[in-house]
CSV table of all heavy atoms in Angstrom, one decimal:
chain,number,residue,atom,x,y,z
A,1,HIS,N,-20.7,-0.4,20.1
A,1,HIS,CA,-20.6,-1.0,18.8
A,1,HIS,C,-19.3,-1.8,18.7
A,1,HIS,O,-18.3,-1.4,19.3
A,1,HIS,CB,-20.8,0.0,17.7
A,1,HIS,CG,-22.2,0.5,17.5
A,1,HIS,ND1,-22.7,1.5,18.2
A,1,HIS,CD2,-23.1,0.1,16.7
A,1,HIS,CE1,-23.9,1.7,17.8
A,1,HIS,NE2,-24.3,0.8,16.9
A,2,THR,N,-19.3,-2.8,17.8
A,2,THR,CA,-18.0,-3.5,17.4
A,2,THR,C,-17.9,-3.5,15.9
A,2,THR,O,-18.8,-3.8,15.2
A,2,THR,CB,-18.1,-4.9,17.9
A,2,THR,OG1,-18.2,-4.9,19.4
A,2,THR,CG2,-16.8,-5.7,17.6
A,3,LEU,N,-16.7,-3.1,15.5
A,3,LEU,CA,-16.4,-3.1,14.0
A,3,LEU,C,-15.2,-3.9,13.8
A,3,LEU,O,-14.2,-3.9,14.5
A,3,LEU,CB,-16.1,-1.6,13.6
A,3,LEU,CG,-17.3,-0.6,13.8
A,3,LEU,CD1,-16.8,0.8,13.3
A,3,LEU,CD2,-18.5,-1.0,12.9
A,4,THR,N,-15.3,-4.7,12.6
A,4,THR,CA,-14.2,-5.6,12.3
A,4,THR,C,-13.8,-5.4,10.8
A,4,THR,O,-14.6,-5.2,10.0
A,4,THR,CB,-14.6,-7.0,12.5
A,4,THR,OG1,-14.9,-7.3,13.9
A,4,THR,CG2,-13.5,-8.0,12.1
A,5,GLU,N,-12.5,-5.4,10.6
A,5,GLU,CA,-11.9,-5.4,9.3
A,5,GLU,C,-10.9,-6.6,9.1
A,5,GLU,O,-10.1,-6.7,10.0
A,5,GLU,CB,-11.2,-4.1,9.0
A,5,GLU,CG,-12.1,-2.9,8.7
A,5,GLU,CD,-12.9,-3.0,7.5
A,5,GLU,OE1,-12.6,-3.8,6.6
A,5,GLU,OE2,-13.9,-2.2,7.3
A,6,ARG,N,-11.1,-7.4,8.1
A,6,ARG,CA,-10.2,-8.5,7.9
A,6,ARG,C,-9.5,-8.3,6.6
A,6,ARG,O,-10.1,-8.0,5.5
A,6,ARG,CB,-11.0,-9.8,7.8
A,6,ARG,CG,-10.2,-11.1,7.6
A,6,ARG,CD,-11.0,-12.3,7.7
A,6,ARG,NE,-11.4,-12.7,9.0
A,6,ARG,CZ,-10.6,-13.3,9.9
A,6,ARG,NH1,-9.4,-13.7,9.6
A,6,ARG,NH2,-11.1,-13.6,11.1
A,7,ILE,N,-8.2,-8.5,6.6
A,7,ILE,CA,-7.3,-8.4,5.4
A,7,ILE,C,-6.7,-9.7,5.1
A,7,ILE,O,-5.9,-10.2,5.9
A,7,ILE,CB,-6.3,-7.3,5.6
A,7,ILE,CG1,-6.9,-5.9,6.0
A,7,ILE,CG2,-5.4,-7.2,4.3
A,7,ILE,CD1,-7.7,-5.3,4.9
A,8,ASP,N,-7.1,-10.4,4.0
A,8,ASP,CA,-6.5,-11.7,3.7
A,8,ASP,C,-5.4,-11.6,2.7
A,8,ASP,O,-4.6,-12.5,2.6
A,8,ASP,CB,-7.6,-12.6,3.1
A,8,ASP,CG,-8.6,-13.0,4.2
A,8,ASP,OD1,-8.2,-13.0,5.4
A,8,ASP,OD2,-9.7,-13.4,3.8
A,9,VAL,N,-5.3,-10.5,1.9
A,9,VAL,CA,-4.4,-10.4,0.8
A,9,VAL,C,-3.6,-9.1,1.0
A,9,VAL,O,-4.2,-8.0,1.0
A,9,VAL,CB,-5.1,-10.4,-0.6
A,9,VAL,CG1,-4.0,-10.2,-1.7
A,9,VAL,CG2,-5.8,-11.7,-0.8
A,10,ASN,N,-2.3,-9.2,1.1
A,10,ASN,CA,-1.4,-8.0,1.3
A,10,ASN,C,-1.3,-7.2,0.1
A,10,ASN,O,-1.2,-7.7,-1.1
A,10,ASN,CB,0.0,-8.5,1.8
A,10,ASN,CG,0.0,-9.2,3.1
A,10,ASN,OD1,0.0,-10.4,3.1
A,10,ASN,ND2,-0.1,-8.5,4.2
A,11,ARG,N,-1.1,-5.9,0.3
A,11,ARG,CA,-0.8,-4.9,-0.8
A,11,ARG,C,0.6,-5.2,-1.2
A,11,ARG,O,1.5,-5.6,-0.4
A,11,ARG,CB,-0.9,-3.5,-0.3
A,11,ARG,CG,-2.3,-3.0,0.0
A,11,ARG,CD,-2.2,-1.5,0.5
A,11,ARG,NE,-1.8,-0.6,-0.6
A,11,ARG,CZ,-1.4,0.6,-0.4
A,11,ARG,NH1,-1.3,1.1,0.9
A,11,ARG,NH2,-1.1,1.4,-1.4
A,12,GLY,N,0.9,-5.0,-2.5
A,12,GLY,CA,2.2,-5.1,-3.1
A,12,GLY,C,2.6,-6.4,-3.7
A,12,GLY,O,3.6,-6.5,-4.4
A,13,GLY,N,1.7,-7.4,-3.6
A,13,GLY,CA,1.9,-8.7,-4.3
A,13,GLY,C,1.2,-8.8,-5.6
A,13,GLY,O,0.4,-7.9,-5.9
A,14,PRO,N,1.3,-10.0,-6.2
A,14,PRO,CA,0.6,-10.2,-7.5
A,14,PRO,C,-0.9,-10.0,-7.5
A,14,PRO,O,-1.5,-9.5,-8.4
A,14,PRO,CB,1.0,-11.6,-7.9
A,14,PRO,CG,2.3,-11.9,-7.2
A,14,PRO,CD,2.2,-11.1,-5.9
A,15,ALA,N,-1.5,-10.4,-6.4
A,15,ALA,CA,-3.0,-10.3,-6.3
A,15,ALA,C,-3.5,-8.9,-5.9
A,15,ALA,O,-4.7,-8.7,-6.0
A,15,ALA,CB,-3.5,-11.4,-5.2
A,16,ASN,N,-2.6,-8.1,-5.4
A,16,ASN,CA,-2.9,-6.7,-5.0
A,16,ASN,C,-1.7,-5.8,-5.2
A,16,ASN,O,-1.2,-5.3,-4.2
A,16,ASN,CB,-3.4,-6.7,-3.5
A,16,ASN,CG,-4.0,-5.4,-3.1
A,16,ASN,OD1,-4.3,-4.5,-3.9
A,16,ASN,ND2,-4.2,-5.2,-1.8
A,17,PRO,N,-1.3,-5.6,-6.4
A,17,PRO,CA,0.0,-5.0,-6.7
A,17,PRO,C,0.0,-3.5,-6.4
A,17,PRO,O,-1.1,-2.8,-6.5
A,17,PRO,CB,0.3,-5.3,-8.1
A,17,PRO,CG,-1.1,-5.4,-8.7
A,17,PRO,CD,-1.9,-6.1,-7.7
A,18,LEU,N,1.2,-2.9,-6.1
A,18,LEU,CA,1.3,-1.5,-6.1
A,18,LEU,C,1.4,-1.0,-7.6
A,18,LEU,O,2.1,-1.7,-8.4
A,18,LEU,CB,2.6,-1.1,-5.4
A,18,LEU,CG,2.7,-1.4,-3.9
A,18,LEU,CD1,4.0,-0.9,-3.3
A,18,LEU,CD2,1.5,-0.8,-3.1
A,19,SER,N,0.8,0.1,-7.9
A,19,SER,CA,0.8,0.6,-9.2
A,19,SER,C,2.1,1.2,-9.5
A,19,SER,O,2.9,1.5,-8.6
A,19,SER,CB,-0.3,1.6,-9.4
A,19,SER,OG,0.0,2.8,-8.6
A,20,ALA,N,2.4,1.5,-10.8
A,20,ALA,CA,3.6,2.2,-11.2
A,20,ALA,C,3.7,3.5,-10.5
A,20,ALA,O,4.8,4.0,-10.1
A,20,ALA,CB,3.7,2.3,-12.7
A,21,ASP,N,2.6,4.2,-10.4
A,21,ASP,CA,2.6,5.5,-9.7
A,21,ASP,C,2.9,5.4,-8.2
A,21,ASP,O,3.6,6.2,-7.6
A,21,ASP,CB,1.2,6.2,-9.8
A,21,ASP,CG,1.0,6.8,-11.2
A,21,ASP,OD1,2.0,6.9,-12.0
A,21,ASP,OD2,-0.2,7.1,-11.6
A,22,GLU,N,2.4,4.3,-7.6
A,22,GLU,CA,2.7,4.1,-6.2
A,22,GLU,C,4.2,3.7,-6.0
A,22,GLU,O,4.8,4.2,-5.0
A,22,GLU,CB,1.8,3.0,-5.6
A,22,GLU,CG,0.4,3.4,-5.4
A,22,GLU,CD,-0.5,2.3,-5.0
A,22,GLU,OE1,-0.4,1.1,-5.5
A,22,GLU,OE2,-1.4,2.5,-4.1
A,23,LEU,N,4.8,2.9,-6.9
A,23,LEU,CA,6.2,2.7,-6.8
A,23,LEU,C,7.0,3.9,-7.0
A,23,LEU,O,8.0,4.1,-6.3
A,23,LEU,CB,6.6,1.6,-7.8
A,23,LEU,CG,6.1,0.2,-7.5
A,23,LEU,CD1,6.4,-0.8,-8.6
A,23,LEU,CD2,6.8,-0.4,-6.2
A,24,ALA,N,6.6,4.8,-7.9
A,24,ALA,CA,7.3,6.0,-8.1
A,24,ALA,C,7.2,6.9,-6.9
A,24,ALA,O,8.1,7.6,-6.6
A,24,ALA,CB,6.7,6.7,-9.4
A,25,THR,N,6.0,7.0,-6.3
A,25,THR,CA,5.8,7.8,-5.1
A,25,THR,C,6.7,7.3,-4.0
A,25,THR,O,7.3,8.1,-3.3
A,25,THR,CB,4.3,7.8,-4.7
A,25,THR,OG1,3.5,8.3,-5.7
A,25,THR,CG2,4.1,8.5,-3.4
A,26,LYS,N,6.7,6.0,-3.8
A,26,LYS,CA,7.6,5.4,-2.8
A,26,LYS,C,9.1,5.8,-3.0
A,26,LYS,O,9.7,6.3,-2.1
A,26,LYS,CB,7.5,3.9,-2.8
A,26,LYS,CG,8.4,3.2,-1.8
A,26,LYS,CD,8.3,1.7,-1.8
A,26,LYS,CE,9.3,1.0,-0.9
A,26,LYS,NZ,9.2,-0.4,-0.9
A,27,PHE,N,9.6,5.7,-4.2
A,27,PHE,CA,10.9,6.1,-4.5
A,27,PHE,C,11.1,7.6,-4.3
A,27,PHE,O,12.1,8.0,-3.7
A,27,PHE,CB,11.3,5.8,-6.0
A,27,PHE,CG,12.7,6.2,-6.3
A,27,PHE,CD1,13.8,5.4,-5.9
A,27,PHE,CD2,12.9,7.3,-7.1
A,27,PHE,CE1,15.1,5.8,-6.2
A,27,PHE,CE2,14.2,7.7,-7.4
A,27,PHE,CZ,15.3,7.0,-7.0
A,28,ARG,N,10.2,8.4,-4.7
A,28,ARG,CA,10.4,9.9,-4.6
A,28,ARG,C,10.4,10.3,-3.1
A,28,ARG,O,11.2,11.1,-2.7
A,28,ARG,CB,9.2,10.6,-5.3
A,28,ARG,CG,9.2,12.1,-5.1
A,28,ARG,CD,8.1,12.8,-5.9
A,28,ARG,NE,6.8,12.3,-5.5
A,28,ARG,CZ,6.1,12.6,-4.5
A,28,ARG,NH1,6.6,13.5,-3.6
A,28,ARG,NH2,4.9,12.1,-4.2
A,29,LEU,N,9.5,9.7,-2.3
A,29,LEU,CA,9.5,10.0,-0.9
A,29,LEU,C,10.7,9.5,-0.2
A,29,LEU,O,11.2,10.1,0.8
A,29,LEU,CB,8.2,9.5,-0.2
A,29,LEU,CG,6.9,10.1,-0.7
A,29,LEU,CD1,5.7,9.3,-0.1
A,29,LEU,CD2,6.8,11.6,-0.3
A,30,ASN,N,11.2,8.4,-0.6
A,30,ASN,CA,12.4,7.8,0.0
A,30,ASN,C,13.6,8.7,-0.2
A,30,ASN,O,14.6,8.7,0.6
A,30,ASN,CB,12.7,6.4,-0.5
A,30,ASN,CG,12.1,5.3,0.3
A,30,ASN,OD1,11.9,5.5,1.5
A,30,ASN,ND2,11.8,4.2,-0.3
A,31,THR,N,13.7,9.4,-1.4
A,31,THR,CA,14.9,10.1,-1.8
A,31,THR,C,14.7,11.6,-1.7
A,31,THR,O,15.6,12.3,-2.1
A,31,THR,CB,15.2,9.7,-3.2
A,31,THR,OG1,14.1,10.1,-4.1
A,31,THR,CG2,15.5,8.2,-3.4
A,32,GLU,N,13.6,12.1,-1.1
A,32,GLU,CA,13.3,13.5,-1.2
A,32,GLU,C,14.4,14.4,-0.4
A,32,GLU,O,14.5,15.6,-0.7
A,32,GLU,CB,11.9,13.8,-0.7
A,32,GLU,CG,11.7,13.5,0.8
A,32,GLU,CD,10.2,13.8,1.2
A,32,GLU,OE1,9.5,14.3,0.4
A,32,GLU,OE2,9.8,13.4,2.3
A,33,SER,N,15.1,13.8,0.5
A,33,SER,CA,16.1,14.6,1.2
A,33,SER,C,17.3,14.9,0.4
A,33,SER,O,18.1,15.8,0.7
A,33,SER,CB,16.6,13.9,2.5
A,33,SER,OG,17.2,12.7,2.2
């Protein structure tokens, strides 16, 4: 079998934004030490 996935729009931009919760999670994980 052959499977394909195409991604035309990146996460994090205006057309596919990170949510407030995702931004908060990123900050929390970045600073957890």
Side-chain angles (χ1 to χ4, degrees):
H1 286 87
T2 299
L3 299 176
T4 298
E5 287 289 348
R6 182 177 287 275
I7 305 293
D8 289 340
V9 178
N10 297 100
R11 290 178 70 195
N16 189 12
L18 296 183
S19 68
D21 285 345
E22 286 174 319
L23 286 172
T25 297
K26 177 181 175 180
F27 179 76
R28 176 177 56 78
L29 293 174
N30 267 332
T31 60
E32 63 182 355
S33 65

